[in-house]
Amino acid sequence: MARTFPPDLVETQRDWIRTYEALARTPFRTVLRRRLQLLSCRIAQHAYWSAGAGHSPAARTELRRQARAAEQRRSGAA
């Protein structure tokens, strides 16, 4: 059964994915590395994890999977 994540958490993970991909295309970009760190902190400190949801590796993997799927739907619709 898939977890249900808050929309803002999924959106932050989508931003993280886009930033990571941009950094992979143009390495040595300090601004992108800083943004990636900021987004990583926002994801790790999101209230969802402290609300009894469990901060397990499986939950983080599912969050990334859902964010990638949402990003692919967005890219396919554009």
Side-chain angles (χ1 to χ4, degrees), residues 8-72:
D8 65 317
L9 180 57
V10 175
E11 184 59 34
T12 303
Q13 183 65 50
R14 287 175 65 193
D15 288 344
W16 189 97
I17 291 167
R18 287 190 295 265
T19 303
Y20 187 86
E21 289 172 351
L23 183 60
R25 287 189 303 271
T26 57
F28 308 113
R29 297 298 305 241
T30 301
V31 69
L32 292 175
R33 289 195 313 270
R34 287 183 182 154
R35 175 127 178 92
L36 204 55
Q37 286 180 315
L38 174 69
L39 292 168
S40 294
C41 289
R42 285 184 184 166
I43 291 167
Q45 296 174 355
H46 194 278
Y48 173 82
W49 305 119
S50 62
H55 192 60
S56 69
R60 286 296 307 273
T61 300
E62 179 61 16
L63 173 62
R64 285 190 297 271
R65 188 197 66 73
Q66 288 183 25
R68 286 185 205 287
E71 189 64 18
Q72 287 175 347

